[in-house]
Amino acid sequence: MRNLRAALVALIIFSPLGACAGNIGAVGGDMNMQRAAERADEILDVVLRDIDPEVAWTHDTTSVGSCDVTRRRAVMTIVSEDRRGSFLGVVDRSWRNSGYRIKSINNDPDVPAIFAQTKDGFGVSLIVGGEGQVFFEVDSPCVEESEVAESTTKPTAPTYEGMEHIPRPNIRSPFWSAGAP
């Protein structure tokens, strides 16, 4: 834990990962936007499965650029300030165990974040936003243009369909929410 804390302190660089710049062809010529979206879902599924105890999450927006796709998920479990470091550590370990390269870590106490990249060029990030809400995002490299369907992965929290914005986290966990008001 001391080494992780030292790494977090040492790496205060905050640089979002670009989806297309320099990544053309990183996943091969046979991947289109739909397959990239499915791969992004796989990446998100794995990290959320690796979080123990589990957290409740819902789909956030999917964005389609000129040659890339971004999938997002919002954690609806309240992750208290006291547990935030543990949460970041679990995600960091999951991504390292999956062979991802950690590109940067922002250890700001209010809005910490981790940015990584998969071997096949997908940018992955965890960002803690307002009121401690955790967001995951996966950006594909540039791929062939195609239609993109909504994710078929079943969320573990309400979907909040029809709402303009996903609400702040509102599901308590005996572990992750410990110390939260």
Side-chain angles (χ1 to χ4, degrees), residues 68-180:
D68 63 309
V69 178
T70 301
R71 289 277 211 220
R72 297 175 184 86
R73 294 187 185 171
V75 174
M76 298 310 297
T77 299
I78 298 165
V79 179
S80 70
E81 232 178 290
D82 295 342
R83 298 290 191 191
R84 208 173 284 162
S86 297
F87 191 88
L88 292 165
V90 168
V91 172
D92 180 273
R93 189 169 37 259
S94 170
W95 288 349
R96 288 178 193 272
N97 288 343
S98 295
Y100 301 174
R101 182 170 63 92
I102 303 301
K103 298 202 57 152
S104 66
I105 296 174
N106 176 13
N107 70 345
D108 181 288
D110 295 322
V111 287
I114 303 173
F115 300 93
Q117 189 167 22
T118 67
K119 290 179 181 177
D120 56 353
F122 284 74
V124 294
S125 61
L126 171 158
I127 300 171
V128 179
E131 296 181 35
Q133 188 158 31
V134 177
F135 296 94
F136 287 97
E137 183 173 297
V138 177
D139 302 310
S140 80
C142 193
V143 294
E144 287 182 34
E145 186 177 358
S146 71
E147 293 293 316
V148 177
E150 292 298 319
S151 177
T152 59
T153 304
K154 184 173 171 54
T156 58
T159 61
Y160 306 102
E161 287 182 41
M163 294 183 71
E164 189 173 335
H165 300 286
I166 294 173
R168 296 296 186 197
N170 54 23
I171 298 172
R172 294 195 70 82
S173 158
F175 181 78
W176 294 117
S177 306

Side-chain angles (χ1 to χ4, degrees), residues 25-97:
V27 293
D30 61 343
M31 184 172 284
N32 64 23
M33 290 175 154
Q34 177 58 41
R35 178 61 191 115
E38 292 166 2
R39 172 73 176 119
D41 285 335
E42 292 168 7
I43 292 166
L44 291 164
D45 291 346
V46 168
V47 71
L48 286 160
R49 263 197 308 267
D50 285 351
I51 298 170
D52 185 29
E54 70 180 24
V55 292
W57 62 270
T58 192
H59 291 286
D60 202 342
T61 58
T62 294
S63 301
V64 178
S66 61
C67 71
D68 63 309
V69 178
T70 301
R71 289 277 211 220
R72 297 175 184 86
R73 294 187 185 171
V75 174
M76 298 310 297
T77 299
I78 298 165
V79 179
S80 70
E81 232 178 290
D82 295 342
R83 298 290 191 191
R84 208 173 284 162
S86 297
F87 191 88
L88 292 165
V90 168
V91 172
D92 180 273
R93 189 169 37 259
S94 170
W95 288 349
R96 288 178 193 272
N97 288 343

